[in-house]
Amino acid sequence: MTLKLYNTLTNQKEEFQPIEEGKVKIYSCGQTIYDDMHVGNAKTYAAWDILHRYLEWKGYDVFHVMNITDVGHLTDDEDEGEDKVEKAAKERKLEPMELVTEQVRRWYKEMDELNMKRHNVNPRATGHMIDMIEAVKDIISNGYGYEKNGTVYFDVKKFEKEHDYPKLGGRTIEDLETGAGGRVSDEEVEEKKSPHDFALWIKASPEHIMKWPSPWSMGYPGWHLECSVMGSKYLGKKFDIHSGGVDHIFPHHPNERAQNMAMNDMDQEPVNFWLHSEHITVEGEKMSKSKGNFYTISDLLEEFDGEVIRTFFASIHYRSQSDFSLESLEESEKKLDRFYRTLNEVRTSEGGDGTDLKEDIKWIKKEFEKAMDDDLNTPLAMSKLIEFSKKINKKLDNKKSILEEAEEILKELGRLLGLRLEEGQRSTSDGSEDREEFVELLIDIREELREKGEYDTADEIRDRLKELGVVLEDTEEGPRWRLS
């Protein structure tokens, strides 16, 4: 089977082939570390964690870099506003690096709680200032950068003539608003050769705290520059995969692409695959602190363990805009409890003489890989894994050695989705394991009836469950239930 990934550069699924046989190099845009990780950040990081795990499972040696932004990301995501880290530090009456240190520790702890694999390198922008200054020099030397009043800009129109600047965003120069995808002030327009140009190095105002000496001014790097520099430094001038959120499709990633090509004097594409994860909505609306529907991972971990949250992330496709609610985590907890109950049943079963589960083991390996090879279709992979779990429960009369093989396969494939599936039995959040197991049994019976075409009896079970306060919904991923 061959892995296919949706490449934003070409707007289609493409067969993945690494640049170097047996090795894959990935750069993922990481956290701007001024605030806590929220559920949308974590959903994106979980997608790239699954990608990392799956590539390793396919036999590749993976080298994965995810940056930590601790300077240069301004409040309007362009060349205006305050530095997000500096602004947050002032509000909390901390030194910027004091805030960064605190937030980095918190970020690692929460990433561990969510069972994210540690990346090979987590470079920080402030640790690569010399590299960024040298990159700006190279961009100027290669004819794509110019200095004006201490700030250095990227010459977009010159690059566009040669390399199709907005290709990655699927746009043309004519489509762009003034500035690099957004509005700029009249003063900035006067400084720039073109309103589309973006800053590589920004001259700092006197009150700006985080600033460094450079040949052009006492200043700081543009937000887009750091990823180009750190990606090239650790992965080379050309690498396999660059991943991020859909909000990076423009202008961040086109700017990165342009910088990579300009500073390395390249005519070829610097990255083979650009992958982007969709946003999460909360109960149908964009997540916002002002709306009161903003969930940080630290908030969620007070009520749910990290494995439940990972089950939710694995149940949605990285390219699908997904809706989040606390109820969706409760549904995920039920899925996870099902896996643990199956594992516990296998461990406590004495087995028998049956051997038919061997065919189911072959089936799940094939179906799981088929789903994952289709652009990491984790919802389908998860549904197949749930189905396999049910098959195991119905065939506990198989030989003990076959049951143990099925248990190992369930754990192996579950862990590719970021689940831990460790030894021992999880406790449900409200201690109602027996009730939930009984409801799951009735739902399984109903599914069997539907497969046989006995819809009247199946509907009667659904209606009786509703009378008992259990609302059953049929989805593409299988039946879901909740208490009314």
Side-chain angles (χ1 to χ4, degrees):
M1 297 184 188
T2 303
L3 172 63
K4 290 186 176 181
L5 298 171
Y6 188 88
N7 190 352
T8 309
L9 187 66
T10 58
N11 291 316
Q12 63 183 2
K13 290 181 188 178
E14 296 179 2
E15 183 177 314
F16 176 75
Q17 293 291 341
I19 295 169
E20 184 179 353
E21 187 176 353
K23 296 185 178 181
V24 180
K25 295 179 180 180
I26 307 173
Y27 186 93
S28 297
C29 285
Q31 189 85 356
T32 299
I33 208 71
Y34 72 102
D35 202 355
D36 289 350
M37 175 168 49
H38 59 65
V39 67
N41 301 142
K43 181 249 188 182
T44 296
Y45 303 153
W48 313 142
D49 180 69
I50 290 172
L51 173 66
H52 185 156
R53 290 170 182 269
Y54 189 61
L55 286 167
E56 286 188 332
W57 186 78
K58 297 279 274 188
Y60 293 108
D61 178 12
V62 178
F63 193 89
H64 194 174
V65 177
M66 180 180 282
N67 70 296
I68 293 174
T69 296
D70 55 358
V71 69
H73 195 167
L74 305 186
T75 49
D76 68 351
D77 287 351
E78 300 292 343
D79 300 339
E80 291 184 323
E82 293 182 77
D83 184 288
K84 290 187 176 184
V85 169
E86 193 167 309
K87 181 176 184 290
K90 287 177 183 176
E91 291 171 352
R92 294 175 57 178
K93 295 181 172 56
L94 299 173
E95 287 292 327
M97 287 301 105
E98 184 181 5
L99 172 66
V100 166
T101 301
E102 176 184 311
Q103 290 299 125
V104 167
R105 288 171 179 161
R106 194 179 185 92
W107 185 75
Y108 275 122
K109 182 176 183 297
E110 290 172 2
M111 291 285 276
D112 288 345
E113 289 278 352
L114 295 175
N115 197 31
M116 305 278 192
K117 287 177 69 72
R118 287 292 178 97
H119 309 98
N120 297 87
V121 186
N122 287 129
R124 286 164 55 173
T126 52
H128 295 78
M129 206 57 60
I130 294 174
D131 299 300
M132 286 190 275
I133 290 171
E134 290 302 313
V136 175
K137 288 180 183 178
D138 289 338
I139 292 172
I140 294 172
S141 176
N142 292 332
Y144 296 101
Y146 62 93
E147 182 266 339
K148 190 75 171 178
N149 298 325
T151 293
V152 182
Y153 295 101
F154 190 94
D155 191 336
V156 168
K157 283 199 172 180
K158 175 175 171 54
F159 184 83
E160 161 64 13
K161 290 176 184 177
E162 303 168 10
H163 303 295
D164 189 3
Y165 162 68
K167 177 181 178 180
L168 178 59
R171 309 183 187 197
T172 65
I173 284 289
E174 290 72 25
D175 293 331
L176 306 183
E177 299 173 345
T178 54
R183 295 183 300 274
V184 294
S185 67
D186 292 339
E187 181 182 350
E188 283 187 304
V189 170
E190 289 176 5
E191 280 195 351
K192 298 177 179 183
K193 290 181 179 180
S194 162
H196 310 305
D197 296 349
F198 58 90
L200 299 170
W201 184 267
I202 303 170
K203 181 181 179 180
S205 60
E207 65 273 12
H208 200 94
I209 299 173
M210 292 192 290
K211 51 192 172 186
W212 290 261
S214 78
W216 315 285
S217 64
M218 198 73 172
Y220 53 95
W223 171 46
H224 314 295
L225 182 67
E226 62 179 83
C227 289
S228 290
V229 169
M230 292 188 286
S232 295
K233 182 179 179 69
Y234 295 104
L235 302 174
K237 293 181 180 180
K238 185 175 178 66
F239 53 92
D240 299 287
I241 298 172
H242 194 312
S243 59
V246 290
D247 51 321
H248 294 146
I249 291 177
F250 194 86
H252 186 46
H253 284 170
N255 289 357
E256 275 193 61
R257 172 180 173 268
Q259 289 167 158
N260 279 44
M261 296 176 78
M263 74 190 194
N264 293 315
D265 197 21
M266 298 170 67
D267 289 325
Q268 61 177 313
E269 291 293 337
V271 178
N272 278 357
F273 282 79
W274 294 82
L275 309 185
H276 292 93
S277 173
E278 258 290 359
H279 290 302
I280 274 184
T281 58
V282 177
E283 296 177 351
E285 293 188 309
K286 184 177 180 180
M287 190 165 60
S288 168
K289 288 182 179 179
S290 62
K291 292 179 180 178
N293 65 350
F294 190 88
Y295 289 96
T296 66
I297 293 302
S298 60
D299 291 336
L300 296 177
L301 286 172
E302 291 180 5
E303 188 171 351
F304 299 92
D305 66 50
E307 194 171 12
V308 171
I309 301 171
R310 283 305 300 266
T311 304
F312 169 70
F313 292 147
S315 300
I316 55 181
H317 192 267
Y318 80 94
R319 282 198 302 114
S320 298
Q321 189 172 88
S322 310
D323 198 54
F324 172 81
S325 65
L326 295 180
E327 288 76 15
S328 62
L329 286 186
E330 291 169 359
E331 292 293 332
S332 296
E333 189 165 37
K334 292 169 188 172
K335 291 180 183 178
L336 186 60
D337 286 337
R338 171 186 287 280
F339 291 140
Y340 274 95
R341 285 197 295 272
T342 298
L343 296 176
N344 192 54
E345 288 289 344
V346 171
R347 293 184 193 115
T348 56
S349 172
E350 295 181 359
D353 298 324
T355 59
D356 52 339
L357 192 54
K358 269 194 168 296
E359 291 303 312
D360 297 313
I361 292 172
K362 292 178 183 177
W363 171 84
I364 188 58
K365 288 179 179 178
K366 180 181 177 181
E367 291 298 313
F368 187 94
E369 187 170 10
K370 181 180 177 182
M372 293 295 285
D373 277 345
D374 183 16
D375 193 31
L376 304 178
N377 191 340
T378 57
L380 181 57
M382 175 67 80
S383 69
K384 296 296 182 182
L385 211 56
I386 290 171
E387 191 174 344
F388 180 57
S389 174
K390 293 177 180 179
K391 290 176 183 290
I392 295 173
N393 288 339
K394 293 174 182 176
K395 298 181 179 181
L396 294 170
D397 61 344
N398 269 242
K399 292 181 178 179
K400 188 67 174 178
S401 60
I402 298 175
L403 289 174
E404 289 172 348
E405 183 182 355
E407 175 190 11
E408 289 306 310
I409 291 297
L410 181 62
K411 290 193 294 186
E412 176 185 335
L413 300 182
R415 287 168 182 168
L416 291 181
L417 299 177
L419 311 185
R420 285 193 170 90
L421 299 183
E422 295 170 337
E423 296 293 323
Q425 177 69 35
R426 284 189 80 254
S427 297
T428 55
S429 57
D430 59 2
S432 56
E433 181 181 326
D434 291 340
R435 180 192 65 198
E436 293 190 3
E437 193 164 355
F438 181 67
V439 171
E440 295 279 4
L441 175 61
L442 290 176
I443 291 172
D444 287 347
I445 293 171
R446 175 176 175 268
E447 286 298 291
E448 290 176 4
L449 290 169
R450 293 178 71 194
E451 289 174 7
K452 295 176 181 177
E454 298 180 25
Y455 298 110
D456 291 341
T457 308
D459 289 344
E460 185 178 350
I461 291 176
R462 181 196 61 202
D463 294 340
R464 293 296 299 274
L465 283 171
K466 187 175 181 180
E467 291 174 8
L468 296 171
V470 177
V471 178
L472 185 59
E473 299 171 355
D474 294 312
T475 72
E476 292 181 358
E477 299 160 22
R480 295 170 54 181
W481 65 274
R482 58 183 173 81
L483 297 177
S484 61

